[in-house]
Amino acid sequence: MPPSPEQSASTSATPAAPLAQRRPQRSTVRHGQASCADYGCTRTECRQAARRASRQRNQDRLRGLPARVPPYAAARWAVRLREQGMSAQDIADRAGLSVTLVRRLFRTPGQGQVVRDIARTTADAVLGIPVPARREPGSPGLTGSAEASRLLADLARAGWPAAALALRLGVNARTVAEVREKRPRLHLDLALRIRRLHRELIGIDPVSQGIRPADAARARAAAARRAAGV
């Protein structure tokens, strides 16, 4: 039965909801990033991030700034951050971007070749990350992870969660987990920081340093499971 004129008018007056992009199967976009809302996520932190990004784009447009820029400057800066010991995940977390986008920046060809422009907000987010201080400037390069893995496992058994250790090391919690469990090599600078952190924390009750008792208990239980091979 065809709709009445009133129904047709009501339907045409209702604005169509914006279509969400299809999230790729291997997407590493996480909650709290503007692109997560683009995939249809309705969590508060994702919608707030999307609104901030939209406001920034509007401000750039009012100032006469292009919405997209060549990626060269951001790519050079991302490579420099990597050379100073930051992983792609570290950069992505600090900039509020997806790790896939950061890895794409690493692969940017040299200037003069045809490349796709990137969003100005993306470039600004990467360029705004400060270069981490190298506490051991004479110790560049990579080293084996055996000692660092053992020390991180020791701290986990003592009740220190990976997130708390990552905060003190200036890296991502995933980096701590990878070094502890499966990453074969790591930057020597990070290995030395882990060694110093172990000396500093191993005799201290994590609860006395603000770690919640439940989080400390979970860290100990997870460490016990890993040790048992469960």
Side-chain angles (χ1 to χ4, degrees):
M1 182 175 180
S4 65
E6 292 81 3
Q7 290 174 324
S8 299
S10 173
T11 303
S12 60
T14 303
L19 293 176
Q21 300 177 27
R22 181 178 179 183
R23 185 187 293 267
Q25 283 188 340
R26 293 188 171 185
S27 170
T28 54
V29 171
R30 289 176 295 167
H31 294 301
Q33 297 177 342
S35 46
C36 190
D38 294 338
Y39 291 133
C41 180
T42 58
R43 287 178 60 153
T44 300
E45 63 266 36
C46 303
R47 288 187 285 125
Q48 288 176 341
R51 283 196 291 268
R52 285 195 299 270
S54 177
R55 281 197 300 268
Q56 185 62 54
R57 287 193 297 269
N58 290 337
Q59 291 170 4
D60 289 345
R61 188 162 53 249
L62 291 173
R63 293 162 57 196
L65 298 174
R68 302 184 70 81
V69 296
Y72 304 114
R76 287 194 298 269
W77 193 250
V79 170
R80 182 177 177 188
L81 294 172
R82 181 176 61 181
E83 290 171 349
Q84 295 297 312
M86 292 184 72
S87 67
Q89 188 65 62
D90 295 332
I91 297 170
D93 289 339
R94 196 74 60 88
L97 304 171
S98 74
V99 70
T100 303
L101 197 156
V102 174
R103 288 173 179 151
R104 195 179 303 144
L105 279 177
F106 288 157
R107 299 193 297 269
T108 300
Q111 197 153 357
Q113 300 186 45
V114 178
V115 294
R116 293 174 58 185
D117 288 349
I118 60 174
R120 173 177 289 278
T121 51
T122 296
D124 289 346
V126 173
L127 292 169
I129 301 175
V131 174
R134 291 190 68 88
R135 301 184 186 180
E136 298 288 341
S139 303
L142 299 173
T143 186
S145 66
E147 182 192 28
S149 175
R150 177 177 58 79
L151 296 178
L152 290 174
D154 200 16
L155 288 169
R157 285 191 296 272
W160 286 97
L165 299 176
L167 185 63
R168 288 165 169 81
L169 291 168
V171 298
N172 181 266
R174 187 178 301 178
T175 300
V176 171
E178 288 179 355
V179 171
R180 186 183 59 209
E181 298 167 24
K182 61 183 180 182
R183 182 180 292 187
R185 296 172 68 78
L186 74 160
H187 280 273
L188 183 55
D189 176 56
L190 178 56
L192 294 172
R193 278 151 49 202
I194 291 172
R195 186 186 298 171
R196 282 194 295 269
L197 188 66
H198 181 272
R199 285 200 303 265
E200 176 187 338
L201 298 182
I202 193 58
I204 299 176
D205 179 7
V207 175
S208 70
Q209 301 300 304
I211 304 301
R212 294 190 305 175
D215 292 340
R218 275 195 292 269
R220 294 189 187 99
R225 288 196 299 271
R226 284 192 296 269
V230 177

